[in-house]
């Protein structure tokens, strides 16, 4: 299955289709013999299998008693008891006898909760300029994150460098056992084989999944970074925004949710009935959506108008920031705007206007039930959200709709990478623990030229 960092609109390429078909027949060849069974397509959905439902109840509402799990999942108490026993044996749940209801008889009144302390998952977000390596616990909370420049140069050397960085990072964690690796990246992802085309990095058929699987010896999932961010909203956002009154059941949300992203690139993802929609027909792009702004360069296309680089070029041209040096950055431009520079404020407001109109165009086309925006183009300058909303309201021809800012703020990239590393566990916690047991600690990153 192909997914794109920028959109889910189909634009099937015969060349890419042939490459995909070839790799589908031999997903990982002799170069990566041990990685063949370790590449797992990401699961960016609210799973409804019995074990997944029980684990989700514990994750979102724990500590929780078995009879309450049955109530919120709709499963029978016998099924809940079987699944709780299996999850306790797998090590992902633990009992809390100290929280048992006073005077209650029998194990069903002993609450269970997620056994999160012994484990972590590893997320890797590969950006055009910066790569983040993230340690995440089983709740989806970030334990630690390090950032490093995305390796440049020959593809094989870059992949070797990334794999080495991830392996060294994991070696620092002595008290937690890693279970899974999740990669979120721009470009075009083949999630069934873990290969990646990333033109901005000069990568073509880059085996990022197999390389990491060989280097670390863990299951690896690779996803488009915009799909991953939408998945974080779907799977982790509920814990970030707890409802004052929990729903009666923990069912997958009905309806559609549109997630629009903007930073260096622009993109969107659509979630339908609790699943991020990633069609197999191939990637498209919204980079060339119409966008008109003389102040931001007048290219007539969305991505080359609102990207960080486009805004910086416009700011340098207007002498708002220096042409080069440490003061020629997005942070410097934001600082100037907050210190009262009218030209800086006008430039950022123009970006917000263009983004608001683009979001309106996508909303009118797809008419989602929920609308979320994320990425530093929105979150690093929240002062511009009023302009985004005003432009959206003026441009849209449909009834008023609220725009919701991502709950992850400027940490949306690490949340996306984290949820890719957790999706397999959330969808099939018992099966995921079995896969993680097959780790080969002696593996070393070897990337053939």
């Amino acid at each position: 299955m192909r997914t794109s960092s920028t959109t889910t609109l189909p634009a099937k390429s015969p060349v890419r289709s042939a490459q995909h078909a070839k790799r589908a027949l031999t997903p990982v060849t002799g170069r990566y013999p041990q990685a063949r069974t370790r590449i797992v397509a990401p699961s960016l959905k609210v799973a409804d299998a019995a074990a997944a439902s029980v684990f989700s109840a514990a994750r979102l509402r724990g500590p929780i008693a078995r009879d309450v799990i049955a109530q919120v999942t709709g499963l029978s108490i016998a099924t809940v008891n079987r699944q709780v026993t299996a999850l306790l044996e797998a090590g992902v749940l633990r009992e809390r006898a100290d929280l048992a209801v006073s005077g209650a008889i029998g194990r069903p009144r002993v609450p269970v909760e997620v056994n999160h302390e012994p484990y972590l998952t590893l997320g890797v977000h590969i950006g055009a300029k910066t790569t983040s390596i993230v340690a995440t616990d089983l709740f989806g909370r970030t334990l630690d994150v390090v950032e490093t420049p995305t390796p440049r140069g020959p593809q094989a050397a870059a992949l070797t460098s990334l794999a080495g960085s991830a392996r060294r990072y994991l070696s620092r964690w002595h008290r937690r056992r890693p279970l899974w690796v999740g990669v979120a990246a721009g470009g075009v992802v083949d999630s069934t084989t873990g290969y990646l085309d990333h033109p901005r990095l000069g990568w073509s058929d880059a085996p990022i999944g197999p390389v990491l699987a060989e280097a670390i010896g863990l299951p690896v999932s690779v996803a488009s970074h915009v799909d991953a961010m939408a998945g974080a909203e779907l799977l982790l956002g509920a814990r970030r925004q707890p409802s004052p009154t929990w729903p009666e059941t923990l069912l997958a949300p009905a309806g559609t949710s549109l997630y629009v992203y903007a930073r260096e690139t622009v993109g969107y993802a659509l979630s339908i009935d609790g699943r991020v929609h990633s069609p197999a027909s191939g990637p498209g792009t919204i980079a060339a959506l119409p966008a008109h702004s003389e102040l931001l360069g007048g290219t007539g296309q969305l991505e080359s108008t609102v990207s960080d680089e486009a805004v910086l070029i416009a700011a340098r041209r207007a002498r708002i920031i220096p042409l080069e040096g440490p003061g020629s950055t997005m942070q410097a431009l934001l600082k100037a705007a907050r210190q009262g520079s009218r030209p800086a404020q006008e430039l950022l407001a123009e970006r917000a206007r263009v983004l608001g109109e683009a979001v309106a165009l996508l909303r009118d086309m797809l008419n989602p039930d929920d609308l979320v925006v994320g990425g530093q183009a929105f979150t690093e300058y929240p002062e511009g959200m009023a302009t985004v909303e005003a432009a959206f309201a003026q441009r849209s021809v449909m009834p008023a709709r609220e725009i919701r800012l991502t709950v992850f703020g400027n940490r949306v990239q690490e949340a996306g990478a984290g949820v890719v590393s957790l999706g397999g566990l959330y969808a099939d916690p018992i099966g995921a623990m079995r896969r993680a047991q097959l780790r080969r600690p002696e593996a070393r990153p070897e990337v053939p030229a």
Side-chain angles (χ1 to χ4, degrees):
M1 178 175 66
R2 286 275 191 176
T3 56
S4 167
S5 67
T6 54
T7 184
T8 53
L9 287 174
K12 199 166 187 177
S13 161
V15 174
R16 292 195 190 282
S17 298
Q19 291 172 342
H20 175 80
K22 181 179 179 181
R23 289 204 299 266
L25 292 174
T26 56
V28 182
T29 63
R31 290 183 174 184
Y32 309 101
Q34 300 300 327
R36 184 184 300 271
T37 60
R38 293 189 179 276
I39 307 303
V40 183
S43 182
L44 303 176
K45 65 178 182 178
V46 178
D48 56 4
S53 296
V54 171
F55 184 76
S56 179
R59 179 173 66 88
L60 295 174
R61 301 189 56 169
I64 185 171
R66 290 164 175 80
D67 58 342
V68 181
I69 294 175
Q71 176 187 342
V72 300
T73 62
L75 299 171
S76 70
I77 190 65
T79 298
V80 169
N81 282 332
R82 286 195 300 272
Q83 298 303 327
V84 167
T85 298
L87 291 166
L88 289 169
E89 291 174 352
V92 292
L93 291 187
R94 64 187 177 193
E95 290 186 315
R96 290 293 305 274
D98 57 312
L99 298 179
V101 176
S102 178
I105 299 175
R107 292 184 67 192
R109 297 304 300 169
V110 177
V112 295
E113 67 180 7
V114 173
N115 186 27
H116 60 95
E117 282 98 345
Y119 308 112
L120 65 82
T121 62
L122 183 73
V124 182
H125 178 267
I126 303 172
K129 295 183 178 179
T130 302
T131 290
S132 301
I133 301 177
V134 188
T136 305
D137 73 4
L138 300 193
F139 287 112
R141 300 177 299 199
T142 297
L143 300 171
D144 181 63
V145 59
V146 296
E147 292 189 345
T148 182
T150 299
R152 299 288 176 171
Q155 176 175 301
L159 296 180
T160 300
S161 177
L162 277 174
S165 295
R167 186 180 176 88
R168 286 191 297 274
Y169 180 78
L170 275 182
S171 70
R172 296 164 37 185
W173 294 88
H174 303 295
R175 297 184 179 181
R176 289 180 183 258
R177 180 161 71 88
L179 300 176
W180 208 280
V181 179
V183 180
V188 180
V189 171
D190 186 336
S191 58
T192 61
T193 61
Y195 279 67
L196 170 66
D197 292 338
H198 200 310
R200 295 192 66 174
L201 296 178
W203 295 0
S204 177
D205 271 354
I208 182 63
V211 167
L212 283 169
E214 285 288 289
I216 298 174
L218 288 173
V220 178
S221 297
V222 186
S224 148
H225 70 163
V226 181
D227 283 357
M229 293 171 203
E233 295 291 330
L234 185 67
L235 295 173
L236 305 179
R239 192 170 181 87
R240 289 292 186 103
Q241 287 186 319
S243 170
T245 57
W246 285 96
E248 290 299 318
T249 59
L250 296 175
L251 300 176
T256 56
S257 177
L258 173 64
Y259 185 93
V260 182
Y261 172 82
R263 190 184 190 184
E264 278 296 344
T265 60
V266 294
Y268 80 86
L270 191 65
S271 298
I272 304 173
D273 294 337
R275 178 192 294 265
V276 178
H277 178 56
S278 300
S281 56
T285 179
I286 62 168
L289 281 181
H292 303 287
S293 173
E294 293 299 326
L295 187 59
L296 289 170
T299 67
Q301 297 185 348
L302 180 61
E303 185 169 286
S304 55
T305 299
V306 300
S307 70
D308 279 3
E309 188 59 31
V311 174
L312 287 174
I313 289 172
R316 292 163 186 152
R317 185 172 58 242
R319 297 291 191 264
I320 300 171
I321 57 176
L323 294 178
E324 57 186 16
S328 186
T329 63
M330 183 59 66
Q331 291 304 317
L333 177 61
L334 293 169
K335 182 178 179 181
R338 292 182 175 124
Q339 289 178 342
S341 167
R342 178 61 67 86
Q345 293 171 351
E346 289 176 348
L347 194 64
L348 293 171
E350 178 69 354
R351 182 196 216 184
R353 178 193 67 80
V354 174
L355 284 170
E357 292 184 353
V359 172
L361 183 62
L362 286 169
R363 181 272 172 120
D364 287 358
M365 180 173 62
L366 298 170
N367 194 23
D369 301 301
D370 188 34
L371 180 56
V372 185
V373 296
Q376 280 74 2
F378 297 104
T379 59
E380 274 196 328
Y381 192 63
E383 298 94 326
M385 277 305 297
T387 303
V388 171
E389 291 167 348
F392 170 83
Q394 184 174 1
R395 176 65 177 80
S396 177
V397 299
M398 301 190 71
R401 173 64 50 82
E402 178 187 4
I403 300 177
R404 183 162 58 86
L405 194 63
T406 174
V407 297
F408 298 100
N410 282 340
R411 309 186 79 168
V412 67
Q413 286 87 0
E414 66 189 59
V419 83
V420 177
S421 71
L422 286 164
L425 181 76
Y426 288 0
D428 181 11
I430 297 171
M433 293 301 288
R434 289 188 187 125
R435 283 182 178 270
Q437 294 289 345
L438 301 175
R439 185 183 185 194
R440 297 183 305 108
E442 76 283 3
R444 292 293 185 273
E446 295 181 2
V447 184

